[in-house]
Amino acid sequence: VLHGFLIFVMRERNPIIAVILSLITFGIYYLYWFYDTNGQFKNELEDDSHPGLRTLVLLFPPFGLISLYKQARSCEEATDGHDWLLIFLAHIVFAPIAIFVIQSDINDAAA
């Protein structure tokens, strides 16, 4: 599916590199990664979600929790990976754990 200028396909990334880039860019890479993974889930699930809106909402903390919840649910559905509650709680406790888990689930689904 062509979404803007990007084609979202389930693609593998090194989860450790995704975590490191998120940390050393002070979250800027995380925003890109979050947008891209939500686009992958949208494509895989063929739903009407909006990756850009989900990412923008992260900047408003009370509403950001809804976006994290939706990403966790989409990840579980699209990859048949970890339980959405585990992913959601990982986002809240320590986001790098969630990045690692989600990217690992995507890698398993893409393989």
Side-chain angles (χ1 to χ4, degrees), residues 46-95:
E46 298 178 356
D47 65 14
D48 62 349
S49 64
H50 302 282
L53 183 59
R54 281 188 182 181
T55 305
L56 182 63
V57 169
L58 285 178
L59 302 176
F60 302 96
F63 302 106
L65 290 175
I66 296 168
S67 188
L68 296 175
Y69 162 79
K70 288 183 177 187
Q71 186 198 40
R73 293 296 295 225
S74 295
C75 180
E76 180 184 22
E77 289 178 44
T79 66
D80 291 325
H82 290 84
D83 182 69
W84 70 268
L85 185 58
L86 171 73
I87 296 169
F88 178 71
L89 292 174
H91 263 302
I92 293 171
V93 173
F94 191 57

Side-chain angles (χ1 to χ4, degrees), residues 15-68:
I16 294 172
I17 298 298
V19 169
I20 291 170
L21 286 173
S22 295
L23 293 172
I24 65 173
T25 63
F26 301 103
I28 293 170
Y29 181 80
Y30 172 76
L31 292 174
Y32 162 75
W33 175 86
F34 190 86
Y35 172 78
D36 189 59
T37 55
N38 277 288
Q40 292 175 47
F41 299 148
K42 174 186 174 62
N43 184 49
E44 187 70 22
L45 298 171
E46 298 178 356
D47 65 14
D48 62 349
S49 64
H50 302 282
L53 183 59
R54 281 188 182 181
T55 305
L56 182 63
V57 169
L58 285 178
L59 302 176
F60 302 96
F63 302 106
L65 290 175
I66 296 168
S67 188
L68 296 175

